[in-house]
Structure formats: structure tokens, C-alpha cells
Amino acid sequence: MNNVEKEIVKKTEKYVFDALIDEPSGHDWWHILRVVNSTKKIAGIEQEIQNVNLFICEMAALLHDIADEKLNENAVAGEQKVKDWLKEVDVNEADQAAILTIILNMSYKGGTNKVRLKTIEGKIVQDADRLDALGAVGIARTFTYSGLHERPIHDPRREKVREHLTLEEYRSGNDTAIMHFYEKLLKLKDLMQTKTGAQLALQRHQYMAAFLAEFYDEWEGKC
Ligand code: ADP
Ligand code: NI
């Protein structure tokens, strides 16, 4: 990264920190920082085999939830926020386009998002964001999100998983925290786009699977 890019990253860190420090649903600044750190880690390894633009990676990781439709009035308003910021800090047009393409296409959206990110930068940032949905941190974020939206922890009368969800159904709130594991989290390990991301995801997946096994044992009074 050159000095101008480093300066833009610094300003963007402050902008995102101020915007998301108190975000209560698990999309807060610390989520962003973890995603930036995983992005750097994966990028460092990928760089040994191909050229990776670290500026685009880091900017997309920093800004990826600023545009989130769940955290804005709607998707268009979120997109505009990111566009305005990229202009304000003078990112060149090619980089603006690359960063926006990643941010606008990386969300899981209940599996309804079928766009596959083509650039290595996109694959890295998407994997880094998905890693933060997994493991101990992923479990914590899921219960926080679910509680904030007044959803139950678990309801054994319900199906574990709703298949072939539309985005409206996925976002409808008609689920439990435990259902979210089956509707998204346990699927992620097979959707990782980089080799490093897949390796890290597997470890976190196994931790979640063990958590669920213990959860059901305790629920049923088996331990
Ligand atoms: P996407 O929009 O791509 O599905 P989200 O931003 O909704 O991604 O997901 C980020 C994290 O927020 C999830 O990994 C999970 O921890 C939490 N989350 C999102 N939706 C739910 C839900 N319905 N129930 C519980 N947690 C959720
Ligand atoms: Ni995110």
C-alpha cells in the first residue's frame, strides 16, 4: 500500500469506528476489526501464490457493513453512504468500483445471494466475514442478534430448518437462534472461497457442532 492509500485507510477506520462502535446486533466496530484482521491474515497467505490488492481488501472489509440493508433505511441508502465516503476520501474510480462490487455482493442473505465474487480480494473479504459468523464468536453473535430481535433461543416443536427460503422469509423473524445454525452457519464451511478460509472455517465449524451436541444433551437432561 502506498502512503496515500494508508492515509485513506486510517481515515476510513475512524469513520467506521464512529459509525459502528455502539451497534448492538453483532455488526459493531469489533466485528469489523476482526474481519479486517482475518482479511489481512488470509491475504498474507494468498499473496504467496497471486497478486492481492491489499488496499481494496482492507477498504472493503472496513466498509462492508456500512452499506448493510439491515443497518440502513434500505439497501439503496446504504450503498449511497459508501459511495459518498469513497468520493470524500478521493478513492480513484477503478478502486471505488472494485470495493463497491465486493460490498454489494458478499452478503449471505439466507442463501438467496447467488453472485459469486470473481476477484481474489472479494473472495478473501467474504471468507473473512463468514469466519466471524462461525466458532465461539459466531455463537455469541447469533444469540445477540436473535435476542435483540426478540426471538426465542430454541423451540423443539419447530422444524430445525426452513429450506429454500426467500429473502423475506429469511429476514422475517420467524425463526429461533438455534434455527439460524441450520439455515446459515453450518452451511458456511462448504461455501468458503479460499483455501485458508476453508481451513479456518472447518475448525470453527467443529466447535459449533460440539456446542450444538452439548446444547441438546443439556436440553434433554442427558448431562
Ligand atoms: P447476511 O445478511 O449475509 O445473512 P448477516 O449480517 O445477517 O449476514 O449475518 C451476520 C450475523 O448476524 C450472522 O452470522 C448471525 O450471527 C447474525 N444473524 C443474522 N441473522 C440472524 C438470525 N435470523 N438469527 C440469529 N442470528 C442472526
Ligand atoms: Ni459483516
Side-chain angles (χ1 to χ4, degrees):
M1 241 188 270
N2 62 40
N3 284 341
V4 175
E5 289 173 338
K6 278 187 192 153
E7 201 48 45
I8 296 174
V9 165
K10 232 193 215 166
K11 283 187 195 161
T12 305
E13 280 170 353
K14 167 138 186 27
Y15 168 68
V16 178
F17 178 92
D18 289 344
L20 295 179
I21 183 64
D22 290 325
E23 203 286 326
S25 77
H27 300 81
D28 53 280
W29 162 251
W30 306 109
H31 161 64
I32 304 300
L33 189 59
R34 291 190 301 269
V35 173
V36 168
N37 287 337
S38 293
T39 293
K40 286 182 185 166
K41 182 176 183 171
I42 300 172
I45 297 168
E46 284 301 317
Q47 242 179 350
E48 287 166 17
I49 34 178
Q50 61 189 305
N51 192 30
V52 177
N53 185 319
L54 295 179
F55 175 67
I56 289 175
C57 277
E58 205 161 329
M59 288 294 282
L62 280 168
L63 290 165
H64 81 274
D65 274 335
I66 291 285
D68 193 310
E69 58 183 352
K70 298 188 296 313
L71 310 186
N72 285 285
E73 247 165 65
N74 52 51
V76 178
E79 181 176 340
Q80 194 56 47
K81 231 191 240 177
V82 174
K83 282 183 176 161
D84 290 346
W85 177 255
L86 292 174
K87 272 206 190 103
E88 192 174 325
V89 287
D90 276 334
V91 174
N92 74 48
E93 283 190 11
D95 287 356
Q96 280 188 34
I99 294 164
L100 268 170
T101 301
I102 297 172
I103 293 175
L104 300 180
N105 293 299
M106 62 187 270
S107 177
Y108 180 68
K109 296 197 170 123
T112 59
N113 178 11
K114 302 291 181 206
V115 179
R116 283 183 70 112
L117 289 165
K118 290 191 189 76
T119 61
I120 184 61
E121 291 81 13
K123 289 176 183 171
I124 290 171
V125 178
Q126 187 175 53
D127 275 8
D129 191 33
R130 287 178 168 175
L131 278 175
D132 210 54
L134 302 178
V137 166
I139 294 170
R141 292 180 72 216
T142 297
F143 286 100
T144 293
Y145 185 99
S146 200
L148 189 75
H149 289 84
E150 301 184 336
R151 298 173 190 171
I153 295 174
H154 176 49
D155 182 347
R157 296 169 305 177
R158 299 180 55 145
E159 295 287 328
K160 266 190 187 151
V161 55
R162 301 167 296 168
E163 291 290 355
H164 309 298
L165 290 173
T166 63
L167 184 57
E168 289 68 36
E169 285 164 341
Y170 176 65
R171 295 265 193 252
S172 69
N174 189 18
D175 68 353
T176 66
I178 290 293
M179 282 167 75
H180 193 65
F181 285 83
Y182 299 93
E183 293 183 350
K184 174 181 178 185
L185 310 183
L186 295 172
K187 297 179 178 176
L188 292 182
K189 78 167 175 24
D190 294 327
L191 298 173
M192 303 302 278
Q193 308 274 351
T194 65
K195 205 172 156 206
T196 312
Q199 279 164 356
L200 294 167
L202 186 60
Q203 191 178 328
R204 295 183 187 206
H205 176 94
Q206 284 162 350
Y207 185 87
M208 286 193 309
F211 166 80
L212 285 172
E214 171 78 13
F215 182 92
Y216 291 123
D217 278 354
E218 291 180 16
W219 190 277
E220 288 159 17
K222 287 187 183 157
C223 63

